[in-house]
Amino acid sequence: MSSGHPGAALLSPFKEHEEPDLNIEFSDVEARNKLERRLLWKLDLRMSMLVLIYILNFIDRNNVSAARSRGLVTDLHLEGKQFATLLSILYVGYIIMQIPSNMFLNFIGKPSLYLPACTVIWGIISALTGITANITGVLLTRFFLGFVEAAFFPGAVFLISKWYKRDEIGLRLTILSCGNIISSAFGALIASGILNDMNDNLGHAAWRWLFYIEGALTVFVAIIAVFILPDFPINTKWLSDDERRLALKRMKEDVGVGDETETEQGGRCHGLYLAVTDWKVWWIALAAASQVVASSFVIYFPTLTATLGYNPTVTLLLVAPPFVCAAIVAFVLSRHSDRAQERFYHMSASYIVGIIGFIISMCTMNTAARYLSLFLMEQSNAGIMLLVAWISTSFPRPPAKRAVCFSLINSIQQLGSIAGSYAWQSNWGPTYRYSYGICLAASSISITMCWVLRQHLKTLNKKLEEEEQEKGIKERGFRYLL
């Protein structure tokens, strides 16, 4: 049945795998706008579950950093670079699984089942970390944790890209990515409470309870997510017929071509072929990997706040304020970027603020100055969020290619996470000047590479404009965001 909005053409009841007729126009602009606002409100409310899962994703991923100084290293007999290996092994599994996972998600078209199922599995694996007794056990759990977690972020980005237009997606992806920032802030607070109050409960060390409790929480939230998350516009069952047609029509209007079967050609691996043969994918991936190296300080944040000279509890509490501030900056910057329809300069401004933070930390051991530098460094995460939004608008169609692009770029950029895990050696502390120097160089490289990409996209936009003029097309078509 139609939703009954005046001015919206009626559709026959929706059937699975049957595309509504998008050529029927909405005759009343006001009625369409009202329906669109309701659709976006409904989507935003349901998509907020992705933020909660992403918070848990990073809490489960980074809780080893909080547990590092509270018994984990001693109980598992870690030596030398074994803790760095413990961090980096997660990204090996993460890299391996991302591309096949997103290809599978595009094929089955059921993110409301697939993403929560993966979340349940990684929650169980995270909890099992608490029963490990040696380096072999914890390495195995960390590897498989990354293997399963790989499904979530590229899958969530792909899901969001199926619903939101180019002038809407930057803010939504930033809100999603703020889950990373929030987890870093409040994950430390949760860890502080558990590590202080749960030691020797039922004969288990506090760091083991940290994994038990946070893993169980992840499983609980994942089960709820099954009933909340949407699928794709073509097969989400809680949409009315008018809402479904409008959702599909919005995506077609945004790029000039639909986002379903009309842009899909070739076999199941055709999207993979299109992605790996596009040099822009590899270029952006390397630029992103370079910036991930620059952001490697995030996984060592409790270690860096420890250099300020406070006790372990205060050290964990000091982690939160820089991340809260960064979340606010990211929200404001991404909203302005969406409105201005510009990516590079907004992103570069965020990176430059981070570079200033690196320079301050390299030059002084003053407590106030170094804590201020942590605020500045953390702002660079806003630039990474805008880069994710830039990726989504630089590879709009077909969906199979876009799905592989997200996962391929995210996989390659995790090589930066592996390299960054070894950029903070204990013997470089407490100044960590060499580490900050590596971050500074990596961020500078990323800015340069993104500028080259911007110039190329600018050239492509000129060609698109010339083609329209030659064909006598007066209506402005698709343009890459710069």
Side-chain angles (χ1 to χ4, degrees), residues 115-130:
L115 296 180
C118 292
T119 305
V120 167
I121 295 171
W122 94 54
I124 294 172
I125 294 172
S126 179
L128 290 175
T129 307

Side-chain angles (χ1 to χ4, degrees), residues 283-332:
W283 189 262
I284 292 180
L286 292 175
S290 184
Q291 186 57 34
V292 167
V293 172
S295 300
S296 61
F297 64 88
V298 171
I299 55 178
Y300 284 92
F301 218 82
T303 301
L304 298 180
T305 55
T307 64
L308 301 177
Y310 297 98
N311 65 56
T313 300
V314 174
T315 291
L316 288 176
L317 295 177
L318 288 174
V319 169
F323 286 97
V324 173
C325 181
I328 296 171
V329 171
F331 180 83
V332 173

Side-chain angles (χ1 to χ4, degrees), residues 62 68 150 153 160 182 230 252 285 351 361 375 406 453:
N62 294 336
R68 180 185 187 183
F153 185 70
I160 290 173
I182 294 170
K252 183 175 183 178
Y351 290 172
S361 284
F375 278 84
F406 288 143
L453 175 67

Side-chain angles (χ1 to χ4, degrees), residues 223-291:
I223 294 172
I224 296 175
V226 174
F227 305 99
I228 297 177
L229 288 178
D231 290 314
F232 298 146
I234 196 67
N235 64 340
T236 295
K237 294 183 178 180
W238 45 260
L239 290 176
S240 70
D241 292 330
D242 287 341
E243 288 172 337
R244 186 183 326 281
R245 180 162 58 86
L246 178 58
L248 293 166
K249 191 174 184 64
R250 277 164 35 88
M251 302 310 295
K252 183 175 183 178
E253 291 171 345
D254 189 44
V255 181
V257 63
D259 199 35
E260 299 299 330
T261 55
E262 60 194 275
T263 59
E264 297 283 23
Q265 299 176 355
R268 295 177 185 174
C269 292
H270 188 60
L272 175 63
Y273 171 78
L274 293 175
V276 299
T277 55
D278 188 339
W279 73 269
K280 297 194 300 296
V281 175
W282 300 97
W283 189 262
I284 292 180
L286 292 175
S290 184
Q291 186 57 34

Side-chain angles (χ1 to χ4, degrees), residues 68 71-83 86 132-136 138 207-208:
R68 180 185 187 183
L72 181 142
V73 172
T74 303
D75 292 350
L76 299 183
H77 312 292
L78 303 184
E79 300 175 350
K81 295 182 179 180
Q82 287 183 337
F83 183 79
L86 187 64
T132 56
N134 53 47
I135 181 63
T136 302
V138 75
W207 70 266
R208 297 185 185 277

